[in-house]
Amino acid sequence: MEAWGAAATVALSVWLALVLGLILLPSVIGVSLGISELYMTVLVKTLEWATRRIEKGVKKQQARMLKDSASNGIIQRVNTTMEKEIASLHRADFELSDIFYFCRKGFEAIVEDEVTQRFSSEELVSWNLLTRTNVNFQYISLRLTIVWVIGVLVRYCLLLPLRLTLATIGIHSMIVGTTLVGCLPNGSIKDWLSELVHLTCSRILVRALSGTIHYHNKENKPQKGGICVANHTSPIDVIILTNDGCYAMVGQAHGGLMGVIQRATVKACPHVWFERSEVKDRHLVMKRLKEHVADKNKLPILIFPEGTCINNTSVMMFKKGSFEIGGTIYPVAIKYDPQFGDAFWNSSKYNAVSYLLRLMTSWAIVCNVWYLPPMVREEGEDAVQFANRVKSAIALQGGLTELPWDGGLKRAKVKETFKEEQQKNYSKMIVGNGSSGNLSSGTEPD
């Protein structure tokens, strides 16, 4: 037993020494030894080989159907508005056939509506060797199965322990580092050390995900006293952005481990955490955010206006609150590469532990981050119009579909006001057409 204990101690010491020398120290000084680049090169070649094997192993017709279903969806939609479609019937008054438009829209929504499908993982055209439960996967060859088995061993027996070690070190370093920095008096030294701790710990956590991040247009990076807004796919969006710069976070205070991290980090950095009772007081939230933005020496605020995670294919409605604060808005577009791992958190299906396990056992997290030119609210532009303009810029840059729907539909039903608005539009259209039709025929309206 003593021999086994000694061997385990030696193995643990060697493991920690390798982690410290090859990963942690390079993270602190912000350099790369090229290990992750080599890993990504081997991974890309492996997935390319697997894709070719899959394409050879399936019939061309099946492959074509797979691509069509992934790109076009289950049904074909006619992208016309109610006004245009009913007006094309070339008649004035209401007819019973009008109900067919609403029936078709209802069937489309039941089969595959454009909202709820944004809250499920995006469909891949080709299997990425991450799961055997993909409905499109079939047995292809022995060699491909052997590669998959090797991949499982690598991901669960090598990468998972390494990533858990790095995540544990990164989280503990964040808590201890920010707590110590928080004991210092306010000043330039405290600010510098706080940024150093946040950047270093974020780099460690990115390496814990085997993250490969490409930052574009760094000249547009958010500046102090501004507001950074970005599309939201995953909780790790925060780590992705803080890996390249420091931000003041805004969010609700939590309990448990997240609460410990929040209470530690707020001592060193001016994050804005709200209690549950305060979140309901919109005026209080706005007041605290405006006070933060008014101080040009404070870090830029990081806000995700969608309010919930969307599946990396779309950008949904931006809540107007972030755009009523004032100041300069710095838009950021984030787009993940789903070939290497699914970063989207479907909180309705997976709890936090299951989601983190899926991340830790994926191949890698690869994404692009674009810093867009700063934007300010124009004269005569209300908060909703400004939010939509920023959302359009992010969607265009990230290659994402722009949708007008509220992400709150992930957990709530459509508001009655939305239904009433459609009813009012239809009634106004019928009343208008009926009046013009009667007048043109030379009769007086009733």
Side-chain angles (χ1 to χ4, degrees):
M1 293 296 295
E2 293 181 358
W4 282 105
T9 302
V10 172
L12 180 61
S13 300
V14 172
W15 175 260
L16 293 177
L18 291 174
V19 171
L20 177 64
L22 298 180
I23 300 177
L24 293 183
L25 289 180
S27 299
V28 173
I29 59 179
V31 299
S32 175
L33 300 180
I35 299 176
S36 59
E37 289 79 2
L38 177 61
Y39 168 71
M40 289 303 301
T41 300
V42 174
L43 179 58
V44 168
K45 291 186 178 297
T46 302
L47 293 180
E48 288 177 349
W49 173 84
T51 300
R52 291 194 297 268
R53 296 293 303 178
I54 294 173
E55 290 176 349
K56 291 180 180 179
V58 298
K59 296 180 180 180
K60 294 183 179 180
Q61 184 177 3
Q62 291 177 332
R64 191 180 303 111
M65 291 174 61
L66 175 60
K67 293 180 180 179
D68 290 341
S69 64
S71 59
N72 297 329
I74 298 176
I75 58 178
Q76 292 287 343
R77 298 181 183 276
V78 180
N79 295 321
T80 57
T81 63
M82 174 179 63
E83 290 81 359
K84 290 182 179 180
E85 185 154 344
I86 295 182
S88 65
L89 299 177
H90 301 293
R91 50 100 185 111
D93 299 320
F94 166 80
E95 292 184 2
L96 189 61
S97 60
D98 287 355
I99 66 173
F100 291 126
Y101 169 83
F102 298 102
C103 290
R104 179 166 58 80
K105 290 297 182 182
F107 290 140
E108 288 179 357
I110 294 173
V111 175
E112 184 188 47
D113 71 278
E114 63 179 1
V115 177
T116 55
Q117 63 176 316
R118 312 299 175 175
F119 303 132
S120 59
S121 298
E122 56 184 315
E123 182 73 15
L124 296 178
V125 173
S126 180
W127 182 42
N128 59 358
L129 305 181
L130 279 180
T131 176
R132 294 283 288 207
T133 58
N134 189 322
V135 295
N136 296 317
F137 175 77
Q138 298 178 4
Y139 176 81
I140 303 298
S141 67
L142 178 61
R143 281 191 291 179
L144 191 62
T145 303
I146 292 175
V147 170
W148 174 79
V149 172
I150 295 174
V152 171
L153 295 176
V154 169
R155 290 188 289 113
Y156 282 87
C157 299
L158 177 61
L159 294 181
L160 180 58
L162 174 62
R163 290 168 176 173
L164 289 176
T165 302
L166 291 174
T168 302
I169 294 174
I171 293 174
H172 282 80
S173 300
M174 177 74 75
I175 296 173
V176 174
T178 53
T179 301
L180 294 176
V181 172
C183 297
L184 299 175
N186 294 331
S188 58
I189 296 179
K190 179 179 180 179
D191 295 339
W192 178 78
L193 288 175
S194 175
E195 292 187 18
L196 178 62
V197 170
H198 279 82
L199 285 173
T200 301
C201 295
S202 295
R203 289 167 181 166
I204 295 174
L205 293 174
V206 166
R207 282 166 170 77
L209 300 172
S210 299
T212 299
I213 312 169
H214 306 285
Y215 299 96
H216 308 276
N217 307 323
K218 288 193 173 186
E219 66 275 8
N220 297 324
K221 285 181 61 175
Q223 303 298 315
K224 292 184 176 181
I227 303 173
C228 174
V229 298
N231 59 298
H232 199 23
T233 303
S234 164
I236 66 172
D237 293 340
V238 174
I239 301 174
I240 297 298
L241 292 177
T242 54
N243 180 67
D244 192 47
C246 290
Y247 298 87
M249 308 298 171
V250 178
Q252 181 176 301
H254 293 274
L257 177 60
M258 182 60 70
V260 174
I261 297 175
Q262 287 181 327
R263 291 189 291 271
T265 55
V266 78
K267 297 177 181 178
C269 186
H271 300 300
V272 184
W273 306 125
F274 297 98
E275 296 296 336
R276 186 177 298 274
S277 58
E278 294 178 332
V279 173
K280 297 179 181 179
D281 190 342
R282 184 170 177 270
H283 296 288
L284 177 61
V285 173
M286 293 292 293
K287 179 182 177 182
R288 293 184 61 182
L289 293 180
K290 287 181 178 179
E291 290 175 352
H292 184 102
V293 173
D295 189 346
K296 300 304 178 182
N297 294 319
K298 289 187 176 181
L299 295 173
I301 295 179
L302 175 59
I303 300 177
F304 300 103
E306 289 170 297
T308 190
C309 296
I310 312 299
N311 72 347
N312 194 46
T313 65
S314 312
V315 180
M316 301 188 77
M317 186 182 76
F318 278 9
K319 306 293 178 62
K320 67 177 182 178
S322 307
F323 303 88
E324 294 176 326
I325 301 172
T328 304
I329 298 291
Y330 294 88
V332 175
I334 306 174
K335 175 67 175 178
Y336 293 89
D337 190 338
Q339 179 184 10
F340 304 98
D342 184 15
F344 168 63
W345 183 24
N346 186 356
S347 56
S348 301
K349 185 177 181 180
Y350 302 104
N351 57 32
V353 175
S354 300
Y355 170 70
L356 291 176
L357 180 61
R358 287 169 62 87
L359 281 184
M360 292 290 185
T361 55
S362 63
W363 293 117
I365 296 298
V366 180
C367 73
N368 286 278
V369 175
W370 291 273
Y371 297 110
L372 279 66
M375 303 174 69
V376 294
R377 188 169 168 179
E378 298 177 349
E379 185 177 355
E381 186 178 43
D382 61 28
V384 174
Q385 293 171 333
F386 186 27
N388 289 334
R389 184 159 60 91
V390 174
K391 183 183 72 169
S392 298
I394 292 176
L396 179 62
Q397 180 62 77
L400 304 167
T401 302
E402 184 181 359
L403 296 175
W405 299 99
D406 185 354
L409 293 173
K410 185 177 185 178
R411 297 180 180 85
K413 296 181 179 180
V414 178
K415 296 181 180 179
E416 291 296 327
T417 54
F418 291 166
K419 300 178 183 178
E420 293 173 359
E421 183 179 356
Q422 293 297 318
Q423 293 170 353
K424 289 179 181 178
N425 290 338
Y426 177 71
S427 62
K428 289 179 181 178
M429 183 181 60
I430 292 300
V431 170
N433 289 340
S435 298
S436 61
N438 288 331
L439 290 175
S440 63
S441 62
T443 60
E444 293 294 332
D446 293 335

